[in-house]
Amino acid sequence: MIYLDNSATTKPYQEVIDSFTQVSEKYYGNPSSIHRTGAEAEKLLLRARQQAAELLHVKEEEIVFTSGGTEGNNTAIKGIALAHQNRGRHIITSQVEHPSVLEACRGLEELGFSITYLPVNNQGLIDPAAVEAAITEETILISIMHVNNELGTIQPIEEIGKIAKQYPKLHFHVDHVQGFGKVPLSLPNSGIDLCTISGHKIHGLKGTGLLFSKKGTHLFPLMHGGGQEQSIRSGTENLAGTVSLVKAVRLILEEQKKQKKHLLEMKERLWTCLDKMKQVSINSPAGHAPHIINLSVPGYKPEVLIHALSEKGYYISTKSACSSKNQDVSSVLAACGKPEAISSSALRISLSYHTQQQEIEGFCKALDETLHQFSEVMG
């Protein structure tokens, strides 16, 4: 099996699985319990929070452990909206966000909030000037992803952060799920108030993640209860998941330092190979995220190609894994102004630091053979 669907999820590091197992077996106490077993669990939780803060260059109290990207995005967006609705009820986002952002915003529209969905250019890029132009006296939140999960487009987060800083009433949230560990982003120096990270996108376990919430940021909690996670996320802590998440954060950041060049080389090899195929149209902008290439093969249903490639042992996807079972057209490509022939035939290939040259070459050969076979059948 050659797995090229790393933007959907990743294979967990063995060290992550080991840490989860060890903590589950040895530190199974409730961190809120006052006996020794609980105290040991609490101590381990505090250490995990310290390590996460050190790795991200933020303060300990700015780390909120979550179950992943969807919860993190909902906590940030709805948390700001409900906590600050007396100051304003307007939110700015874009047309190409992850469903967990778009649907959270649509849910808030039902509660009377006004949402501006900014357009993008043909590369999926947001114009920072358009962000500033959309700000009103009612605006309380800007929510923009760092790296687009379908195209790999890198948004100008630092520029948007500088704009947001000029408006004290504004909060700036960044969905960093696809970018973390692949595309650098400084949380302390980019004007970011809230930032979402997911464990299973960085070789961690599903059901783990964290939300960076800048000191002084007030959120209305989605879950009330025992007051865990600074009362932002009540519920008995997932200690084993949290410790394994911090392990994954450390390992992916180490790989980013050591293997960045390798990942870029693998993408360039894949790009060169795809660019030679007459039937293939590459949708991803050049020079953006090093791990995602989106392409279209007009005239072919993406599901048919995915199944044919999987029979040859190569696994890729179509669109976002969170929306790939819905509608035929990619809303992201449609927002980029792509014609329906392109937006309805999109495929996404996503690499990891472990992807090897022979896997890229094998995939290219398999795709070329598959397209040739289908052409003969259709021809």
Side-chain angles (χ1 to χ4, degrees):
M1 181 184 83
I2 306 302
Y3 186 75
L4 299 172
D5 194 17
N6 290 279
S7 286
T9 195
T10 54
K11 181 180 179 180
Y13 293 121
Q14 186 59 49
E15 297 95 322
V16 167
I17 296 171
D18 291 343
S19 66
F20 181 89
T21 303
Q22 291 165 9
V23 173
S24 297
E25 290 175 348
K26 188 174 180 181
Y27 296 95
Y28 53 82
N30 189 323
S32 298
S33 297
I34 60 173
H35 49 62
R36 190 178 73 179
T37 304
E40 289 174 347
E42 182 185 27
K43 185 178 179 181
L44 189 57
L45 180 63
L46 289 172
R47 193 186 312 153
R49 197 181 309 280
Q50 289 168 354
Q51 291 173 349
E54 288 171 6
L55 289 165
L56 298 177
H57 307 290
V58 300
K59 299 179 177 68
E60 292 174 37
E61 61 266 33
E62 295 177 326
I63 299 291
V64 179
F65 291 115
T66 68
S67 64
T70 294
E71 184 191 339
N73 287 339
N74 274 265
T75 299
I77 295 167
K78 295 175 183 175
I80 288 293
L82 297 176
H84 301 278
Q85 56 186 316
N86 291 334
R87 292 162 56 181
R89 294 168 70 83
H90 177 236
I91 294 169
I92 298 170
T93 188
S94 85
Q95 296 176 4
V96 296
E97 300 299 310
H98 187 269
S100 61
V101 169
L102 293 174
E103 293 304 319
C105 288
R106 287 174 186 136
L108 288 171
E109 284 181 304
E110 294 179 15
L111 298 179
F113 286 82
S114 173
I115 314 293
T116 296
Y117 299 95
L118 294 172
V120 294
N121 67 11
N122 60 2
Q123 294 186 322
L125 271 171
I126 298 163
D127 182 358
V131 177
E132 186 159 24
I135 297 172
T136 72
E137 291 183 358
E138 282 280 304
T139 310
I140 54 174
L141 176 68
I142 299 171
S143 180
I144 302 293
M145 62 178 17
H146 185 209
V147 174
N148 185 266
N149 51 302
E150 289 191 32
L151 283 176
T153 305
I154 301 172
Q155 300 295 354
I157 295 301
E158 288 85 358
E159 290 181 60
I160 298 172
K162 287 177 183 177
I163 293 168
K165 271 187 172 181
Q166 297 172 26
Y167 300 84
K169 193 170 72 171
L170 261 180
H171 296 87
F172 183 30
H173 165 244
V174 174
D175 174 355
H176 195 22
V177 168
Q178 283 297 337
F180 185 72
K182 276 82 73 178
V183 183
L185 180 67
S186 171
L187 297 186
N189 302 314
S190 301
I192 297 169
D193 299 301
L194 296 146
C195 185
T196 307
I197 293 171
S198 174
H200 78 102
K201 306 292 190 181
I202 56 170
H203 304 279
L205 301 177
K206 295 171 183 65
T208 66
L210 65 82
L211 175 68
F212 161 73
S213 179
K214 188 176 179 180
K215 189 175 181 180
T217 302
H218 178 52
L219 295 170
F220 186 88
L222 300 188
M223 292 182 287
H224 294 82
Q228 292 90 343
E229 294 300 312
Q230 303 156 71
S231 293
I232 294 173
R233 185 189 193 266
S234 290
T236 302
E237 299 92 343
N238 176 10
L239 182 59
T242 294
V243 172
S244 70
L245 169 70
V246 177
K247 176 81 76 172
V249 167
R250 180 174 63 78
L251 292 173
I252 196 72
L253 290 176
E254 287 176 359
E255 284 210 292
Q256 185 178 356
K257 286 181 181 178
K258 298 175 183 176
Q259 300 291 336
K260 182 179 179 181
K261 185 179 177 183
H262 168 77
L263 182 59
L264 199 54
E265 286 176 354
M266 293 304 101
K267 182 190 175 184
E268 288 172 353
R269 284 182 179 275
L270 177 59
W271 187 291
T272 301
C273 146
L274 294 171
D275 204 31
K276 293 176 182 176
M277 298 184 191
K278 294 181 180 179
Q279 293 164 284
V280 171
S281 175
I282 298 176
N283 301 316
S284 293
H288 281 252
H291 62 298
I292 297 173
I293 294 183
N294 186 293
L295 62 99
S296 292
V297 187
Y300 294 87
K301 286 190 174 183
E303 314 90 69
V304 175
L305 288 175
I306 287 170
H307 289 309
L309 288 166
S310 67
E311 288 178 4
K312 296 177 185 289
Y314 293 90
Y315 294 85
I316 63 171
S317 66
T318 169
K319 303 186 295 182
S320 163
C322 296
S323 63
S324 60
K325 293 183 180 178
N326 305 324
Q327 66 189 44
D328 293 331
V329 175
S330 161
S331 59
V332 171
L333 292 178
C336 295
K338 302 292 185 183
E340 188 172 338
I342 295 293
S343 60
S344 64
S345 61
L347 299 169
R348 181 184 66 183
I349 307 163
S350 44
L351 316 178
S352 79
Y353 291 111
H354 308 139
T355 304
Q356 299 300 314
Q357 179 179 333
Q358 60 267 31
E359 295 175 336
I360 297 295
E361 292 171 352
F363 169 77
C364 288
K365 183 181 178 182
L367 177 60
D368 195 41
E369 289 175 352
T370 300
L371 293 177
H372 184 68
Q373 290 165 2
F374 284 180
S375 294
E376 288 183 338
V377 172
M378 295 171 66

